[in-house]
């Protein structure tokens, strides 16, 4: 499984470098830790003459503004940022006011946004 993971910087260049390693290992689907990294992964695919999503599917994370307008539009995971911020501020205000701290776990449901950078995968000829 370790050969299917590549660590890199959270940047376009980092995504491109990590994706290049994964493509050399034969990966046909790449899930990135950020949308910027995913744009770099798409660049790495194109550098090798591969098509996204016909040859390789790419998924980002964050649903950054304007990411739906990339070529192809990026499939991504959207976090409920407003809900997360509201919960964090509420928790901080309780702590500052001296209210007894409750040790609770906050769980937020992300949303998978399917766009044009993912597909069914390449056809395998036998």
């Amino acid at each position: 499984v370790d050969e299917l993971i590549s660590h890199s910087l959270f940047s376009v260049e980092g995504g491109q470098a990590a994706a290049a390693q994964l493509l050399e290992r034969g990966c046909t689907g790449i899930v990135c830790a950020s949308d910027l990294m995913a744009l770099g992964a798409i660049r790495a695919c194109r550098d090798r003459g591969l098509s996204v999503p016909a040859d390789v599917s790419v998924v980002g994370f964050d649903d950054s503004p304007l990411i739906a307008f990339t070529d192809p539009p990026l499939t991504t995971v959207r976090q409920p940022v407003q809900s997360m911020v509201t919960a964090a501020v509420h928790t901080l205000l309780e702590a500052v006011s001296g209210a007894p701290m409750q040790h609770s776990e906050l769980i937020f449901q992300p949303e998978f946004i399917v766009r044009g950078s993912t597909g069914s995968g390449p056809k395998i000829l036998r």
Side-chain angles (χ1 to χ4, degrees), residues 76-123:
T76 188
V77 177
R78 178 185 296 155
Q79 298 183 82
V81 175
Q82 186 61 47
S83 296
M84 295 166 73
V85 169
T86 300
V89 169
H90 179 70
T91 302
L92 181 60
L93 290 174
E94 284 182 348
V96 170
S97 72
M101 293 298 294
Q102 296 179 1
H103 295 287
S104 61
E105 182 177 353
L106 301 175
I107 299 174
F108 298 93
Q109 186 69 40
E111 183 180 0
F112 188 55
I113 309 298
V114 179
R115 296 191 182 111
S117 67
T118 51
S120 61
K123 294 179 182 174

Short mmCIF file of all heavy atoms in Angstrom, two decimals, residues 76-123:
data_model
loop_
_atom_site.label_atom_id
_atom_site.label_comp_id
_atom_site.label_asym_id
_atom_site.label_seq_id
_atom_site.Cartn_x
_atom_site.Cartn_y
_atom_site.Cartn_z
N THR A 76 -14.01 17.11 -6.28
CA THR A 76 -13.35 17.49 -5.03
C THR A 76 -14.21 17.12 -3.82
O THR A 76 -15.37 16.71 -3.97
CB THR A 76 -13.05 19.01 -5.04
OG1 THR A 76 -12.24 19.35 -3.91
CG2 THR A 76 -14.30 19.83 -5.04
N VAL A 77 -13.64 17.26 -2.65
CA VAL A 77 -14.36 17.07 -1.40
C VAL A 77 -14.54 18.44 -0.76
O VAL A 77 -13.57 19.16 -0.54
CB VAL A 77 -13.59 16.14 -0.44
CG1 VAL A 77 -14.32 16.00 0.88
CG2 VAL A 77 -13.39 14.76 -1.09
N ARG A 78 -15.80 18.81 -0.51
CA ARG A 78 -16.11 20.11 0.08
C ARG A 78 -16.31 19.94 1.59
O ARG A 78 -17.06 19.09 2.04
CB ARG A 78 -17.40 20.66 -0.54
CG ARG A 78 -17.83 22.00 0.05
CD ARG A 78 -19.18 22.44 -0.50
NE ARG A 78 -19.08 22.68 -1.94
CZ ARG A 78 -20.12 22.61 -2.76
NH1 ARG A 78 -21.32 22.28 -2.32
NH2 ARG A 78 -19.95 22.85 -4.06
N GLN A 79 -15.61 20.76 2.34
CA GLN A 79 -15.78 20.79 3.79
C GLN A 79 -16.86 21.82 4.15
O GLN A 79 -16.94 22.86 3.50
CB GLN A 79 -14.49 21.19 4.48
CG GLN A 79 -13.35 20.24 4.25
CD GLN A 79 -12.13 20.68 5.02
OE1 GLN A 79 -12.03 20.40 6.19
NE2 GLN A 79 -11.23 21.39 4.37
N PRO A 80 -17.62 21.58 5.22
CA PRO A 80 -18.61 22.57 5.65
C PRO A 80 -17.93 23.67 6.47
O PRO A 80 -18.06 23.75 7.69
CB PRO A 80 -19.58 21.75 6.50
CG PRO A 80 -18.73 20.64 7.06
CD PRO A 80 -17.71 20.34 5.98
N VAL A 81 -17.18 24.52 5.80
CA VAL A 81 -16.32 25.50 6.46
C VAL A 81 -17.11 26.42 7.38
O VAL A 81 -16.70 26.68 8.51
CB VAL A 81 -15.51 26.31 5.41
CG1 VAL A 81 -14.72 27.41 6.08
CG2 VAL A 81 -14.60 25.39 4.63
N GLN A 82 -18.27 26.92 6.93
CA GLN A 82 -19.04 27.84 7.77
C GLN A 82 -19.47 27.18 9.07
O GLN A 82 -19.36 27.78 10.14
CB GLN A 82 -20.28 28.35 7.00
CG GLN A 82 -21.06 29.41 7.76
CD GLN A 82 -20.22 30.65 8.06
OE1 GLN A 82 -19.55 31.17 7.19
NE2 GLN A 82 -20.25 31.12 9.30
N SER A 83 -19.91 25.95 9.01
CA SER A 83 -20.30 25.22 10.23
C SER A 83 -19.10 24.99 11.14
O SER A 83 -19.21 25.08 12.36
CB SER A 83 -20.93 23.88 9.87
OG SER A 83 -22.12 24.07 9.15
N MET A 84 -17.95 24.69 10.55
CA MET A 84 -16.75 24.46 11.34
C MET A 84 -16.30 25.74 12.05
O MET A 84 -15.94 25.71 13.23
CB MET A 84 -15.64 23.92 10.44
CG MET A 84 -15.96 22.55 9.86
SD MET A 84 -14.88 22.06 8.51
CE MET A 84 -13.37 21.71 9.37
N VAL A 85 -16.36 26.85 11.35
CA VAL A 85 -15.97 28.14 11.93
C VAL A 85 -16.92 28.52 13.05
O VAL A 85 -16.49 28.95 14.14
CB VAL A 85 -15.91 29.23 10.84
CG1 VAL A 85 -15.78 30.62 11.46
CG2 VAL A 85 -14.77 28.96 9.88
N THR A 86 -18.21 28.37 12.82
CA THR A 86 -19.21 28.70 13.83
C THR A 86 -19.00 27.88 15.10
O THR A 86 -19.03 28.41 16.21
CB THR A 86 -20.63 28.48 13.27
OG1 THR A 86 -20.81 29.32 12.13
CG2 THR A 86 -21.70 28.79 14.31
N ALA A 87 -18.76 26.59 14.94
CA ALA A 87 -18.54 25.71 16.10
C ALA A 87 -17.26 26.09 16.84
O ALA A 87 -17.23 26.11 18.07
CB ALA A 87 -18.48 24.26 15.65
N ALA A 88 -16.21 26.43 16.10
CA ALA A 88 -14.94 26.81 16.73
C ALA A 88 -15.09 28.10 17.52
O ALA A 88 -14.61 28.21 18.66
CB ALA A 88 -13.85 26.95 15.67
N VAL A 89 -15.76 29.09 16.95
CA VAL A 89 -15.96 30.37 17.64
C VAL A 89 -16.83 30.16 18.87
O VAL A 89 -16.53 30.71 19.95
CB VAL A 89 -16.58 31.42 16.68
CG1 VAL A 89 -17.04 32.65 17.44
CG2 VAL A 89 -15.57 31.79 15.60
N HIS A 90 -17.88 29.37 18.75
CA HIS A 90 -18.76 29.10 19.89
C HIS A 90 -17.97 28.43 21.03
O HIS A 90 -18.09 28.83 22.19
CB HIS A 90 -19.92 28.21 19.45
CG HIS A 90 -20.87 27.85 20.54
ND1 HIS A 90 -21.72 28.78 21.10
CD2 HIS A 90 -21.10 26.68 21.19
CE1 HIS A 90 -22.44 28.19 22.05
NE2 HIS A 90 -22.07 26.92 22.11
N THR A 91 -17.14 27.46 20.70
CA THR A 91 -16.33 26.77 21.70
C THR A 91 -15.32 27.72 22.35
O THR A 91 -15.13 27.71 23.57
CB THR A 91 -15.58 25.58 21.05
OG1 THR A 91 -16.55 24.70 20.46
CG2 THR A 91 -14.74 24.83 22.06
N LEU A 92 -14.71 28.58 21.55
CA LEU A 92 -13.75 29.55 22.07
C LEU A 92 -14.43 30.55 23.00
O LEU A 92 -13.91 30.87 24.07
CB LEU A 92 -13.07 30.28 20.91
CG LEU A 92 -12.02 31.32 21.28
CD1 LEU A 92 -10.88 30.67 22.06
CD2 LEU A 92 -11.50 32.01 20.04
N LEU A 93 -15.61 31.05 22.62
CA LEU A 93 -16.33 32.00 23.47
C LEU A 93 -16.73 31.38 24.79
O LEU A 93 -16.69 32.04 25.84
CB LEU A 93 -17.56 32.54 22.73
CG LEU A 93 -17.27 33.48 21.55
CD1 LEU A 93 -18.55 33.83 20.82
CD2 LEU A 93 -16.53 34.72 22.02
N GLU A 94 -17.12 30.11 24.77
CA GLU A 94 -17.44 29.42 26.03
C GLU A 94 -16.21 29.33 26.92
O GLU A 94 -16.30 29.55 28.13
CB GLU A 94 -17.98 28.01 25.74
CG GLU A 94 -19.41 28.00 25.26
CD GLU A 94 -19.91 26.57 25.04
OE1 GLU A 94 -19.10 25.62 25.04
OE2 GLU A 94 -21.12 26.43 24.85
N ALA A 95 -15.06 29.03 26.34
CA ALA A 95 -13.83 28.90 27.12
C ALA A 95 -13.42 30.24 27.71
O ALA A 95 -13.02 30.33 28.87
CB ALA A 95 -12.71 28.35 26.24
N VAL A 96 -13.54 31.32 26.93
CA VAL A 96 -13.15 32.65 27.38
C VAL A 96 -14.08 33.14 28.49
O VAL A 96 -13.66 33.82 29.42
CB VAL A 96 -13.14 33.64 26.20
CG1 VAL A 96 -12.98 35.07 26.66
CG2 VAL A 96 -12.03 33.27 25.23
N SER A 97 -15.36 32.75 28.42
CA SER A 97 -16.33 33.21 29.42
C SER A 97 -16.20 32.46 30.74
O SER A 97 -16.86 32.81 31.72
CB SER A 97 -17.75 33.06 28.89
OG SER A 97 -18.12 31.70 28.83
N GLY A 98 -15.37 31.45 30.78
CA GLY A 98 -15.16 30.70 32.01
C GLY A 98 -16.13 29.56 32.19
O GLY A 98 -16.17 28.93 33.25
N ALA A 99 -16.93 29.29 31.20
CA ALA A 99 -17.88 28.17 31.29
C ALA A 99 -17.08 26.87 31.40
O ALA A 99 -16.00 26.74 30.82
CB ALA A 99 -18.77 28.14 30.05
N PRO A 100 -17.61 25.91 32.14
CA PRO A 100 -16.92 24.62 32.26
C PRO A 100 -16.76 23.98 30.88
O PRO A 100 -17.70 23.95 30.10
CB PRO A 100 -17.83 23.77 33.14
CG PRO A 100 -18.92 24.66 33.62
CD PRO A 100 -18.86 25.94 32.86
N MET A 101 -15.56 23.54 30.60
CA MET A 101 -15.29 22.94 29.29
C MET A 101 -15.83 21.51 29.23
O MET A 101 -15.59 20.72 30.13
CB MET A 101 -13.78 22.91 29.02
CG MET A 101 -13.14 24.28 28.84
SD MET A 101 -13.78 25.18 27.44
CE MET A 101 -13.19 24.16 26.11
N GLN A 102 -16.58 21.25 28.22
CA GLN A 102 -17.06 19.90 27.98
C GLN A 102 -16.16 19.28 26.92
O GLN A 102 -15.91 19.88 25.89
CB GLN A 102 -18.49 19.91 27.47
CG GLN A 102 -19.49 20.45 28.46
CD GLN A 102 -20.89 20.43 27.86
OE1 GLN A 102 -21.11 20.01 26.74
NE2 GLN A 102 -21.85 20.90 28.65
N HIS A 103 -15.65 18.13 27.22
CA HIS A 103 -14.80 17.45 26.24
C HIS A 103 -15.72 16.73 25.27
O HIS A 103 -16.22 15.66 25.56
CB HIS A 103 -13.84 16.48 26.92
CG HIS A 103 -12.86 17.18 27.79
ND1 HIS A 103 -11.81 17.91 27.29
CD2 HIS A 103 -12.77 17.29 29.13
CE1 HIS A 103 -11.11 18.44 28.28
NE2 HIS A 103 -11.67 18.07 29.42
N SER A 104 -15.96 17.36 24.16
CA SER A 104 -16.82 16.74 23.15
C SER A 104 -16.10 16.72 21.81
O SER A 104 -15.19 17.50 21.55
CB SER A 104 -18.14 17.51 23.03
OG SER A 104 -17.89 18.84 22.64
N GLU A 105 -16.53 15.82 21.00
CA GLU A 105 -15.95 15.68 19.67
C GLU A 105 -16.93 16.26 18.66
O GLU A 105 -18.12 15.92 18.68
CB GLU A 105 -15.71 14.20 19.38
CG GLU A 105 -15.08 13.94 18.05
CD GLU A 105 -14.80 12.45 17.84
OE1 GLU A 105 -14.97 11.66 18.77
OE2 GLU A 105 -14.41 12.11 16.72
N LEU A 106 -16.45 17.15 17.84
CA LEU A 106 -17.29 17.73 16.81
C LEU A 106 -17.02 17.01 15.50
O LEU A 106 -15.87 16.89 15.08
CB LEU A 106 -16.99 19.23 16.66
CG LEU A 106 -17.19 20.08 17.91
CD1 LEU A 106 -16.75 21.51 17.66
CD2 LEU A 106 -18.64 20.04 18.36
N ILE A 107 -18.05 16.51 14.88
CA ILE A 107 -17.91 15.78 13.63
C ILE A 107 -18.68 16.52 12.54
O ILE A 107 -19.84 16.86 12.72
CB ILE A 107 -18.44 14.33 13.77
CG1 ILE A 107 -17.63 13.61 14.84
CG2 ILE A 107 -18.36 13.61 12.44
CD1 ILE A 107 -18.14 12.23 15.17
N PHE A 108 -18.00 16.76 11.44
CA PHE A 108 -18.60 17.48 10.32
C PHE A 108 -18.62 16.58 9.09
O PHE A 108 -17.65 15.87 8.83
CB PHE A 108 -17.81 18.76 10.03
CG PHE A 108 -17.80 19.71 11.19
CD1 PHE A 108 -16.79 19.68 12.12
CD2 PHE A 108 -18.84 20.62 11.36
CE1 PHE A 108 -16.79 20.54 13.20
CE2 PHE A 108 -18.85 21.47 12.44
CZ PHE A 108 -17.82 21.44 13.37
N GLN A 109 -19.69 16.63 8.37
CA GLN A 109 -19.88 15.78 7.20
C GLN A 109 -19.39 16.49 5.94
O GLN A 109 -19.97 17.50 5.54
CB GLN A 109 -21.36 15.43 7.05
CG GLN A 109 -21.65 14.43 5.96
CD GLN A 109 -21.13 13.05 6.29
OE1 GLN A 109 -21.23 12.60 7.42
NE2 GLN A 109 -20.57 12.38 5.32
N PRO A 110 -18.35 15.99 5.31
CA PRO A 110 -17.91 16.59 4.03
C PRO A 110 -18.86 16.16 2.92
O PRO A 110 -19.68 15.25 3.08
CB PRO A 110 -16.52 15.99 3.83
CG PRO A 110 -16.59 14.68 4.53
CD PRO A 110 -17.51 14.88 5.71
N GLU A 111 -18.74 16.82 1.77
CA GLU A 111 -19.59 16.52 0.63
C GLU A 111 -18.70 16.22 -0.59
O GLU A 111 -17.79 16.99 -0.90
CB GLU A 111 -20.49 17.72 0.34
CG GLU A 111 -21.48 17.52 -0.76
CD GLU A 111 -22.34 18.76 -0.98
OE1 GLU A 111 -22.17 19.77 -0.27
OE2 GLU A 111 -23.17 18.71 -1.89
N PHE A 112 -18.97 15.12 -1.24
CA PHE A 112 -18.21 14.74 -2.43
C PHE A 112 -18.87 15.40 -3.64
O PHE A 112 -20.02 15.15 -3.95
CB PHE A 112 -18.21 13.21 -2.57
CG PHE A 112 -17.30 12.69 -3.65
CD1 PHE A 112 -15.95 13.02 -3.67
CD2 PHE A 112 -17.79 11.85 -4.63
CE1 PHE A 112 -15.11 12.52 -4.65
CE2 PHE A 112 -16.95 11.35 -5.61
CZ PHE A 112 -15.62 11.68 -5.63
N ILE A 113 -18.11 16.28 -4.32
CA ILE A 113 -18.62 17.03 -5.46
C ILE A 113 -18.03 16.42 -6.73
O ILE A 113 -16.84 16.57 -7.01
CB ILE A 113 -18.23 18.53 -5.36
CG1 ILE A 113 -18.62 19.11 -4.00
CG2 ILE A 113 -18.83 19.31 -6.51
CD1 ILE A 113 -20.09 19.10 -3.69
N VAL A 114 -18.85 15.72 -7.48
CA VAL A 114 -18.38 15.04 -8.70
C VAL A 114 -18.48 16.00 -9.88
O VAL A 114 -19.53 16.55 -10.18
CB VAL A 114 -19.21 13.77 -8.97
CG1 VAL A 114 -18.73 13.09 -10.25
CG2 VAL A 114 -19.12 12.81 -7.80
N ARG A 115 -17.33 16.18 -10.53
CA ARG A 115 -17.26 17.01 -11.73
C ARG A 115 -16.53 16.23 -12.82
O ARG A 115 -16.51 15.01 -12.79
CB ARG A 115 -16.57 18.34 -11.40
CG ARG A 115 -17.36 19.18 -10.39
CD ARG A 115 -16.79 20.58 -10.29
NE ARG A 115 -17.51 21.38 -9.31
CZ ARG A 115 -17.01 21.80 -8.15
NH1 ARG A 115 -15.75 21.50 -7.82
NH2 ARG A 115 -17.73 22.52 -7.33
N GLY A 116 -15.89 16.91 -13.72
CA GLY A 116 -15.36 16.27 -14.90
C GLY A 116 -13.99 15.63 -14.81
O GLY A 116 -13.52 15.07 -15.80
N SER A 117 -13.32 15.66 -13.66
CA SER A 117 -11.96 15.10 -13.59
C SER A 117 -11.93 13.64 -13.17
O SER A 117 -10.85 13.06 -12.98
CB SER A 117 -11.09 15.93 -12.63
OG SER A 117 -11.57 15.80 -11.30
N THR A 118 -13.10 13.02 -13.03
CA THR A 118 -13.16 11.60 -12.68
C THR A 118 -14.03 10.87 -13.68
O THR A 118 -14.98 11.41 -14.23
CB THR A 118 -13.73 11.39 -11.26
OG1 THR A 118 -14.97 12.09 -11.13
CG2 THR A 118 -12.76 11.87 -10.20
N GLY A 119 -13.69 9.62 -13.90
CA GLY A 119 -14.43 8.79 -14.83
C GLY A 119 -14.39 7.34 -14.40
O GLY A 119 -13.93 7.01 -13.32
N SER A 120 -14.83 6.48 -15.29
CA SER A 120 -14.94 5.05 -14.96
C SER A 120 -13.59 4.33 -15.03
O SER A 120 -13.50 3.19 -14.65
CB SER A 120 -15.94 4.38 -15.89
OG SER A 120 -15.51 4.50 -17.23
N GLY A 121 -12.59 4.97 -15.55
CA GLY A 121 -11.26 4.36 -15.62
C GLY A 121 -10.95 3.90 -17.01
O GLY A 121 -11.84 3.75 -17.86
N PRO A 122 -9.69 3.66 -17.27
CA PRO A 122 -9.28 3.24 -18.62
C PRO A 122 -9.74 1.81 -18.92
O PRO A 122 -9.89 1.00 -18.01
CB PRO A 122 -7.76 3.35 -18.58
CG PRO A 122 -7.41 3.18 -17.14
CD PRO A 122 -8.57 3.77 -16.36
N LYS A 123 -9.97 1.53 -20.18
CA LYS A 123 -10.32 0.18 -20.60
C LYS A 123 -9.06 -0.66 -20.66
O LYS A 123 -8.03 -0.21 -21.18
CB LYS A 123 -11.01 0.20 -21.96
CG LYS A 123 -12.35 0.89 -21.93
CD LYS A 123 -12.98 0.91 -23.29
CE LYS A 123 -14.30 1.66 -23.20
NZ LYS A 123 -14.91 1.85 -24.50
#
